[in-house]
Amino acid sequence: MTLKNIDRRTFVKTTMLGGFALGAGIPFWASGNNDVSHLCILHTNDTHSRIDPYPSNDPNFPMMGGYARRAALISQVRNQVEHVLLLDAGDIFQGTPYYNIYGGEPELRLMTKMGYDASTIGNHEFDNGLDGLERVLPYAGFPFINSNYDFSQTILNEKIETYKILYRGNLKIGIYGLGIELEGLVGRNLYGNTVYHDPIKVAQRMEMILKEEHHCDLVLCLSHLGYKYETGKVSDVVIAGKTRYTDIILGGHTHTLLDPPAQIENAAGKIVYIGQTGYAGVRLGRMDLYFNKNSGKIFVESNTTNILKYQDV
Amino acid sequence: MLSLLCFFGIFACKGPDQQRYTLEGSVILLDSINVPETDRELEKIIMEYRESLEADMSKVLVYSEHVMERGSPEGKLNNFVADLVFDIGKEIYQPDDGKSIDFCLLNYGGLRVPLPKGEITNERVFELLPFENEMVVITLTGERTGELFQYLAASERGMPVSGIKLKIKDKKPHEVLINGQEFDINKSYKVLTSDYLAGGGDHMNFFLQPVNYELLGKRIRDAIILHMQRVHAEGKKISSELDGRISVVN
Ligand SMILES: [Zn+2]
């Protein structure tokens, strides 16, 4: 028996109307049971078109990775946990001939099959130019989220989400995305009129929107900035330290393996968790969040929709 | 199986914000022990793509005399790639002004894997040069060309070059020959490079705002494949030498 199985008890959804609970009649926080809301976040980064496992003579990862194996593990988790989020932190493209020949079509089709909820944009997503990305985007049945690239003067205008709110049970999860400076890293002819904005300012603005306007329970950042640099260049560690509401950063670009996730203190003295899984899809990151019943949340029904909202007590 | 491995690497965080949630994080290696099965449905989709790709990729283009690896300040792979890209560039370039290309500069980071001795497959060449970079001829002022040599002299990595001889002293250019002639800051030069570098990639800012920018309409990888096919058709093998084109002197 493992932690996972012990905590698998499903969370009792309690809808409040005018302050009274419907259904069970007792608000869950007062019901005295130990139910916790369990969210499992699965994440990848820098998978770099490794659709097949590495060949058996590979010195580092013989027969490891591969989309079909990743998909099997994801299904296994979905069978065990009700609320799963599946996210990617960019650089899906480039690294094997699959990308050179098919331009990202199989990667996005297969990720859609696996049920990815969102990805952000890595620098290698620009490798076939904006047109190259635009052409294969229809194969992605999930949104690409980026908050600090301005695509309004490009063919990607309105095809990339600035942020996204997802619901899992009674949890409201806000996701924003940060991309790396393209100048000097990606050819100008490839990124065209994409305008890069300072990720720190954008992160601060995004978390305010997600927390204070949308009252998200959890604020996630999908980042392709890289984990940390000696030079002090903006990175996930920098973002963590300069934000107040971002709970988790799922990162990429530096191909860093963070196992367990890093813990960095934010501007409000709270812990931000940073995950990154190396590269080439040979690993799947997993974070299990167990929401405390004493987390100070009251679930109330929204006036305008049936979506559950909470207010802090 | 899964639950067993999840137990591994698990940790419980009791940080200051634990009023809201506890978080356990781990990273799972996708090997046949942790995940013995693969997803059948995905395998089927992958098969469609793999079959047509494999036929194409497993073709042997040429044989190599020896292993070629990238190196600094020069490497066999650096020289091999730069020389043949330079040759093919000169062959296809049709200048308006009748002046041909002076030299070729690529980047170390662009050479992703070494070439083995023996069979060189199409796949290997794709792995060597996965990027869809195009060949570009950039005309630079003498001053900008001087900055280019300063960049090369200061670089920690050996950039693939062809058509020049550079001696570096104290991270500065000490002696520069272009096509056997001494570098002249009052002349302009035509440099063959990739569109990635011409766009300021790898911080090659001297390429920005050039006197002239001419796309050759050929990918670097395609040039290499073309060269290999030619060598093979002649019944020869590919090889490369270190010739001291970039050296550090005291
Ligand atoms: Zn990257």
Side-chain angles (χ1 to χ4, degrees):
Chain A
M1 179 91 329
T2 69
L3 280 172
K4 217 106 291 144
N5 295 332
I6 294 163
D7 291 315
R8 265 201 59 224
R9 273 166 289 188
T10 48
F11 192 91
V12 182
K13 236 200 272 182
T14 311
T15 308
M16 294 288 294
L17 194 63
F20 295 98
L22 298 173
I26 308 164
F28 84 95
W29 71 89
S31 66
N33 68 39
N34 290 319
D35 281 327
V36 286
S37 155
H38 176 194
L39 174 71
C40 179
I41 301 172
L42 301 176
H43 63 104
T44 47
N45 57 274
D46 301 276
T47 51
H48 285 298
S49 301
R50 277 281 155 197
I51 289 173
D52 290 322
Y54 272 96
S56 52
N57 62 356
D58 187 84
N60 301 315
F61 307 119
M63 304 297 280
M64 294 181 196
Y67 277 45
R69 183 162 281 144
R70 197 198 311 168
L73 179 56
I74 290 163
S75 305
Q76 236 176 310
V77 175
R78 288 193 199 280
N79 288 336
Q80 294 176 351
V81 184
E82 188 185 356
H83 301 304
V84 175
L85 265 186
L86 177 57
L87 302 164
D88 188 273
D91 277 6
I92 294 163
F93 295 167
Q94 194 71 268
T96 71
Y98 279 108
Y99 178 67
N100 304 102
I101 302 294
Y102 303 112
E105 175 191 313
E107 290 88 329
L108 299 181
R109 257 185 83 187
L110 296 164
M111 285 171 75
T112 302
K113 276 270 174 203
M114 286 185 237
Y116 269 82
D117 294 297
S119 175
T120 193
I121 303 174
N123 47 302
H124 284 292
E125 265 68 74
F126 293 92
D127 281 0
N128 280 345
L130 293 171
D131 328 16
L133 178 55
E134 199 254 2
R135 186 182 68 77
V136 294
L137 268 186
Y139 293 102
F142 54 89
F144 275 85
I145 303 172
N146 175 285
S147 322
N148 70 318
Y149 294 148
D150 177 358
F151 290 112
S152 61
Q153 301 305 309
T154 75
I155 50 164
L156 291 181
N157 186 28
E158 294 184 355
K159 293 184 173 169
I160 306 295
E161 307 267 359
T162 308
Y163 62 85
K164 184 94 189 160
I165 294 170
L166 298 173
Y167 296 88
R168 286 295 180 277
N170 50 17
L171 283 176
K172 185 170 178 181
I173 302 147
I175 304 175
Y176 66 95
L178 298 176
I180 193 165
E181 167 89 274
L182 299 171
E183 198 190 317
L185 186 65
V186 176
R188 276 179 193 191
N189 56 325
L190 299 178
Y191 65 83
N193 292 326
T194 307
V195 181
Y196 166 87
H197 290 293
D198 176 12
I200 299 172
K201 284 190 191 134
V202 170
Q204 290 166 341
R205 195 168 68 236
M206 285 301 128
E207 62 171 12
M208 285 292 269
I209 293 171
L210 293 170
K211 199 67 174 187
E212 299 197 339
E213 274 180 37
H214 293 287
H215 307 289
C216 292
D217 295 298
L218 197 67
V219 177
L220 285 184
C221 170
L222 286 179
S223 157
H224 201 78
L225 297 176
Y227 176 60
K228 188 164 87 177
Y229 300 101
E230 296 302 323
T231 56
K233 176 178 156 175
V234 62
S235 65
D236 296 343
V237 167
V238 172
I239 295 294
K242 299 251 186 209
T243 48
R244 311 180 74 82
Y245 299 124
T246 301
D247 294 285
I248 294 169
I249 300 174
L250 301 173
H253 190 61
T254 42
H255 297 189
T256 312
L257 177 60
L258 297 173
D259 188 13
Q263 299 182 40
I264 306 289
E265 200 176 294
N266 75 5
K270 290 187 173 180
I271 293 295
V272 180
Y273 299 92
I274 307 178
Q276 203 180 140
T277 66
Y279 66 100
V282 291
R283 294 182 175 88
L284 182 71
R286 174 171 183 160
M287 290 183 186
D288 289 280
L289 281 73
Y290 302 97
F291 283 81
N292 204 314
K293 76 178 173 98
N294 299 318
S295 65
K297 296 195 308 180
I298 297 174
F299 289 84
V300 294
E301 197 175 34
S302 149
N303 292 331
T304 49
T305 66
N306 277 328
I307 296 163
L308 290 167
K309 281 193 171 180
Y310 80 89
Q311 61 191 40
D312 283 310
V313 182
Chain B
M1 177 56 68
L2 177 76
S3 47
L4 196 95
L5 88 254
C6 285
F7 199 67
F8 264 88
I10 258 182
F11 77 112
C13 311
K14 301 252 183 294
D17 73 337
Q18 291 318 303
Q19 306 91 310
R20 294 207 297 136
Y21 58 81
T22 16
L23 187 148
E24 298 161 1
S26 60
V27 176
I28 306 150
L29 187 66
L30 297 175
D31 61 12
S32 58
I33 298 161
N34 289 339
V35 193
E37 299 288 321
T38 58
D39 187 295
R40 290 290 172 82
E41 207 188 326
L42 250 76
E43 287 281 15
K44 233 184 260 171
I45 301 172
I46 295 169
M47 269 302 270
E48 298 166 25
Y49 291 101
R50 188 189 293 140
E51 276 173 3
S52 68
L53 191 70
E54 262 173 11
D56 206 39
M57 286 297 143
S58 56
K59 275 188 211 136
V60 175
L61 295 171
V62 72
Y63 292 83
S64 176
E65 296 273 12
H66 47 76
V67 174
M68 292 186 214
E69 281 186 274
R70 64 181 185 179
S72 302
E74 66 166 335
K76 284 184 179 169
L77 189 59
N78 311 23
N79 295 355
F80 172 75
V81 171
D83 285 348
L84 79 88
V85 169
F86 190 30
D87 284 347
I88 290 186
K90 283 190 284 193
E91 191 181 304
I92 54 181
Y93 180 54
Q94 293 177 317
D96 294 333
D97 60 3
K99 273 188 68 193
S100 72
I101 309 166
D102 292 294
F103 63 96
C104 171
L105 166 63
L106 299 170
N107 68 326
Y108 180 91
L111 307 176
R112 308 300 281 191
V113 294
L115 289 180
K117 182 186 156 104
E119 279 185 3
I120 307 292
T121 58
N122 203 5
E123 180 167 26
R124 196 66 185 181
V125 178
F126 269 84
E127 287 178 350
L128 169 67
L129 295 149
F131 311 114
E132 303 297 326
N133 290 334
E134 302 258 343
M135 291 162 70
V136 182
V137 177
I138 298 286
T139 306
L140 294 181
T141 60
E143 211 173 318
R144 287 271 179 271
T145 311
E147 285 173 25
L148 180 156
F149 289 115
Q150 279 164 19
Y151 175 97
L152 288 181
S155 177
E156 300 285 321
R157 301 149 122 205
M159 297 293 161
V161 295
S162 184
I164 64 163
K165 202 166 165 82
L166 171 66
K167 286 187 180 161
I168 302 166
K169 193 173 180 179
D170 301 328
K171 300 209 169 264
K172 293 201 167 59
H174 181 61
E175 198 184 304
V176 185
L177 297 179
I178 300 173
N179 229 339
Q181 305 282 309
E182 216 164 297
F183 164 60
D184 180 354
I185 198 151
N186 298 311
K187 280 174 65 177
S188 66
Y189 289 94
K190 286 186 179 175
V191 191
L192 176 64
T193 188
S194 69
D195 57 348
Y196 166 70
L197 299 174
D202 256 6
H203 301 285
M204 293 197 184
N205 295 332
F206 45 82
F207 277 134
L208 301 174
Q209 297 160 336
V211 177
N212 204 1
Y213 182 108
E214 297 164 279
L215 266 173
L216 292 187
K218 197 168 199 71
R219 285 177 180 164
I220 290 181
R221 185 178 55 242
D222 293 343
I224 289 177
I225 290 172
L226 177 69
H227 169 87
M228 287 180 171
Q229 285 169 333
R230 281 183 188 171
V231 172
H232 193 58
E234 290 167 13
K236 292 183 195 156
K237 293 182 179 180
I238 56 165
S239 64
S240 172
E241 300 287 320
L242 296 180
D243 56 12
R245 62 185 71 184
I246 301 183
S247 60
V248 179
V249 294
N250 292 316

